[in-house]
Amino acid sequence: MSLQPPHSLRARLLWLLLAVIVVTALVQAIVAYRTARAEADEIFDYHMQQTALSLRSGLPRQAAAGHDDDEAHDESYDFVVQVWTQDGLRVFQSARAAIPRRETMGFSDVPARGTTYRVFTMRSGAQVIQVAQDMAARREMAGTLALRTAAPIAVMAPLSMLLVWWVISSSLAPVQRVRRQVSERQADDLNEVSEAGLPDEVRPLVHELNLLFARVRQAFDAQKSFVADAAHELRSPLAALKLQVQGLQRASDDGTRELAVARLHAGIDRATRLVEQLLVLARHEASAAGGQRPHPVALSELVKQAVADIAGAAQSRRIDIGVSRADEGAFPGHPDAARILVRNLLDNAVKYTPEGGTVDVEVQRSGDAWLLEVQDSGPGIDEVDRERVLDRFYRVAGSQATGSGLGLAIVKSIADLHGAVLTLDRSARLGGLCVSVRFPVGS
């Protein structure tokens, strides 16, 4: 079974850096060992050469006495020194076992006595001086020197590992702190995670996590608000439907029964419209909280499609609805949400415009923005109510048209999603309400 690499960033860094330290220490030790041995060889060769040069002035007293000292033969000499005359007669030998005479001057390796000797040969007048050293002894002494050189590396490698472990552990401590903060919090705790002390590589991740928490918190708040508003607003139409059903049950004649049925149908239509608007609002808020990426929005195409969809309802009330201007082009946004915005504006305009009235729609590119205007010949909205009609479930007092009070609230929410500016004013041309939405091109 193959071993999987560790998925922990801390473990991976530790293993990789420790492996680098081990490999580096081994390479350094090998290089130091070989370098020390090479330098030791050079030093031993230098000593051999100096020993031979020191004999140019004369032989030791033993050789001058003309005999070999057995005690000297038993001593452990680092070097074997031999001196020959020009005729090949050996006149001095520092060890019992002799090394064959070398005719080649300088350094050479000579196999003798079951081992290999490093030999330096030089000529001095009528004599030939030869200094030899057992390579086994040389390697042993050179190895000892090399090990002493490489020993500090072997000591420093574990210390470097401990230092690396401490540095990585201390550097990743803020990451561990963030992990503990996230793992220990409750499911409904969407507060921001502290970014203090985090490395630059981790801070953007935590920042994005905090933004995600903010979006989820916004979605939860919107859901709570929506549920509370929906429960409050559905209570009234459902209670009205119940009363209308009771009235239908108590109807004593056909006329009263038909009136009760008509009222029940109207109540069902209002409840249906309210539920539809609530579902539209919930779907829009869910998409807005989800942080969907923007796509090209062809506003003129959305307006033409919405006008075609609502033309039947407008025609039934003899309302003249049309598009007076529709500049071509697109801007980055959310097409589905923009479609809901246009449809709600046209629905409101047709609903509140009296029979035989006019609804006019314009789409134009104005500088660095796209401008959508919907004007009607209805009663308009007084200035004191223009801010409040953007709130959920608020309806202007005395309004004859039925509604849920969600249309303009949905329009305001979608405009905010696009960074657009929503303005309510009186139409100078038609006398009713003029709703303008300015979408920035770079939204």
Side-chain angles (χ1 to χ4, degrees):
M1 182 176 64
S2 60
L3 295 177
Q4 296 294 330
H7 292 285
S8 168
L9 177 62
R10 178 176 178 272
R12 182 171 298 182
L13 287 175
L14 281 174
W15 280 111
L16 290 177
L17 291 178
L18 293 182
V20 170
I21 290 175
V22 170
V23 172
T24 303
L26 287 176
V27 172
Q28 288 181 340
I30 292 173
V31 172
Y33 182 83
R34 292 186 175 181
T35 302
R37 286 196 58 177
E39 292 177 353
D41 285 338
E42 293 179 0
I43 293 174
F44 287 137
D45 287 346
Y46 175 76
H47 286 171
M48 292 173 61
Q49 187 176 13
Q50 293 300 314
T51 301
L53 291 174
S54 66
L55 296 176
R56 291 183 302 176
S57 59
L59 295 173
R61 288 182 299 173
Q62 300 175 19
H67 66 278
D68 293 337
D69 189 350
D70 291 339
E71 294 180 358
H73 296 162
D74 294 336
E75 293 180 359
S76 177
Y77 287 91
D78 289 339
F79 299 126
V80 177
V81 181
Q82 300 177 103
V83 180
W84 284 273
T85 62
Q86 189 70 25
D87 299 331
L89 177 63
R90 185 172 57 213
V91 295
F92 176 77
Q93 178 179 326
S94 64
R96 184 184 299 277
I99 305 300
R101 178 181 174 182
R102 297 288 295 171
E103 298 297 335
T104 304
M105 299 296 105
F107 290 98
S108 60
D109 295 333
V110 179
R113 300 169 59 184
T115 183
T116 302
Y117 283 86
R118 179 71 166 170
V119 179
F120 177 73
T121 305
M122 66 170 292
R123 190 180 301 278
S124 176
Q127 296 179 337
V128 176
I129 303 171
Q130 181 174 287
V131 181
Q133 183 184 26
D134 189 350
M135 291 295 292
R138 170 183 283 211
R139 282 192 292 269
E140 181 180 355
M141 288 184 288
T144 302
L145 293 175
L147 287 176
R148 291 176 181 175
T149 303
I153 299 177
V155 174
M156 289 302 298
L159 294 179
S160 299
M161 293 180 181
L162 290 175
L163 180 61
V164 167
W165 176 83
W166 177 80
V167 169
I168 292 179
S169 299
S170 59
S171 298
L172 294 179
V175 181
Q176 296 295 329
R177 172 177 54 80
V178 171
R179 183 190 64 81
R180 287 194 301 269
Q181 288 182 6
V182 176
S183 63
E184 293 174 357
R185 64 174 52 197
Q186 300 298 322
D188 58 348
D189 185 3
L190 297 175
N191 294 322
E192 292 187 353
V193 178
S194 175
E195 300 180 18
L198 290 178
D200 293 340
E201 293 79 7
V202 180
R203 185 178 293 109
L205 175 62
V206 177
H207 180 68
E208 292 299 326
L209 180 63
N210 287 332
L211 293 179
L212 175 61
F213 282 162
R215 291 195 295 270
V216 174
R217 185 169 59 250
Q218 179 183 0
F220 281 172
D221 293 341
Q223 183 184 34
K224 292 178 182 178
S225 177
F226 170 77
V227 171
D229 292 341
H232 178 269
E233 292 300 322
L234 284 174
R235 188 179 297 113
S236 297
L238 291 178
L241 288 176
K242 185 177 180 179
L243 292 175
Q244 290 161 2
V245 170
Q246 292 174 354
L248 178 61
Q249 292 174 342
R250 291 194 299 266
S252 57
D253 52 51
D254 292 341
T256 305
R257 188 178 297 108
E258 290 179 0
L259 180 60
V261 170
R263 290 177 178 177
L264 180 60
H265 277 298
I268 292 175
D269 290 340
R270 286 194 298 270
T272 301
R273 177 61 179 171
L274 175 60
V275 171
E276 289 176 351
Q277 290 289 74
L278 287 173
L279 292 177
V280 169
L281 180 62
R283 184 169 64 250
H284 163 65
E285 290 183 344
S287 62
Q292 296 180 353
R293 293 184 176 180
H295 297 279
V297 176
L299 194 57
S300 60
E301 296 298 325
L302 296 181
V303 167
K304 293 176 183 178
Q305 181 180 353
V307 169
D309 292 340
I310 206 171
Q315 186 177 4
S316 65
R317 299 183 59 207
R318 295 181 293 107
I319 294 177
D320 180 17
I321 183 171
V323 180
S324 60
R325 178 175 179 176
D327 293 350
E328 299 295 332
F331 61 90
H334 305 274
D336 291 337
R339 183 178 296 107
I340 295 173
L341 179 145
V342 174
R343 181 58 187 264
N344 277 12
L345 288 179
L346 294 183
D347 279 344
N348 275 5
V350 171
K351 182 187 303 181
Y352 290 97
T353 299
E355 291 190 10
T358 303
V359 175
D360 191 18
V361 187
E362 291 186 4
V363 176
Q364 58 178 314
R365 175 69 182 268
S366 176
D368 58 349
W370 282 89
L371 181 62
L372 168 65
E373 283 190 352
V374 178
Q375 303 183 54
D376 60 63
S377 59
I381 300 176
D382 293 337
E383 188 173 354
V384 293
D385 291 325
R386 289 174 187 170
E387 289 294 331
R388 297 199 61 190
V389 294
L390 301 179
D391 297 334
R392 296 179 182 180
F393 306 111
Y394 179 81
R395 302 190 69 237
V396 178
S399 176
Q400 300 299 320
T402 60
S404 61
L406 284 174
L408 289 178
I410 294 174
V411 170
K412 178 64 167 60
S413 178
I414 296 175
D416 292 341
L417 173 65
H418 289 81
V421 178
L422 174 64
T423 305
L424 305 182
D425 203 349
R426 178 165 296 277
S427 173
R429 182 161 52 88
L430 299 180
L433 181 66
C434 175
V435 181
S436 62
V437 185
R438 183 177 294 273
F439 295 91
V441 174
S443 62

